Amino acid sequence: FKLASFVRWPAPIADGEPFRICIAGRGDIAGLLAAFANGKQIENRPVSVLELGTAQPQLAANCRMLFLGRGAKTAATLISATTGEPVLIVTDRTSGTRGGVVEFVEQGGKVRLALDQRQATARKLALDSELFNVAAEVER
C-alpha cells in the first residue's frame, strides 16, 4: 500500500474510477489489505482491492498495482496481460514469483526490495529516488 506513494503514473485515473490494487496468489493478503484500505485514498481516489483469479487476466490491465504472491501460477499470464500498461507489478521472489518492477527478496532474514528500472520505464512509471536508496538490488 505504501509503495504507491513512491511511484508516479503517467496519466491520471479516469473520472469515477478507483485506485485499483489487484492481488493474485495471496488471498490472505487481499482481505487484510481491503480492510486496511477501507476509506483511504491514493492519487485522490478511493482505494479498491480486487483479488484476481486464474481466469481473469483481462482485468489486470485495469489495475494500478498488481501484487503476485506465492502460488500465483498465472504470474506470467498476468504480467503479459499488462505489458505496456502503467501497472506497478509487485512480486514475492521469496516464494518463487518473479518478474515485478518491485520484488520482495529475503536478505539476512529481512525482507528487502529489488527494483527493475527497465521494466518501470517500459511501463512509463517513475520510481522515487527514495526507493532506490532502500533497495537491496537495482536492475537498470
Side-chain angles (χ1 to χ4, degrees):
F1 188 85
K2 190 172 181 177
L3 280 173
S5 64
F6 297 101
V7 178
R8 283 191 318 276
W9 282 264
I13 298 172
D15 286 343
E17 289 292 314
F19 185 99
R20 195 168 286 115
I21 299 174
C22 300
I23 298 176
R26 286 296 303 263
D28 57 330
I29 289 177
L32 292 172
L33 187 59
F36 176 78
N38 188 30
K40 292 190 173 51
Q41 293 190 340
I42 299 175
E43 293 188 337
N44 297 317
R45 299 286 182 187
V47 176
S48 169
V49 177
L50 176 65
E51 187 174 358
L52 295 183
T54 57
Q56 298 174 304
Q58 72 282 1
L59 298 178
N62 295 323
C63 305
R64 280 298 228 202
M65 294 177 69
L66 173 59
F67 177 74
L68 302 170
R70 67 176 179 256
K73 296 175 184 171
T74 59
T77 301
L78 293 171
I79 290 170
S80 181
T82 64
T83 299
E85 296 294 331
V87 177
L88 179 67
I89 304 291
V90 180
T91 58
D92 185 359
R93 190 190 304 173
T94 63
S95 66
T97 307
R98 298 192 64 138
V101 174
V102 176
E103 293 185 338
F104 294 124
V105 297
E106 188 175 338
Q107 289 186 343
K110 295 182 180 181
V111 176
R112 307 276 314 270
L113 300 178
L115 306 176
D116 186 332
Q117 178 62 49
R118 286 181 296 162
Q119 192 177 152
T121 301
R123 292 174 173 281
K124 300 172 185 70
L125 301 172
L127 304 178
D128 190 288
S129 62
E130 290 293 317
L131 278 181
F132 292 98
N133 292 338
V134 299
E137 300 173 25
V138 177
E139 188 172 326
R140 295 188 188 267

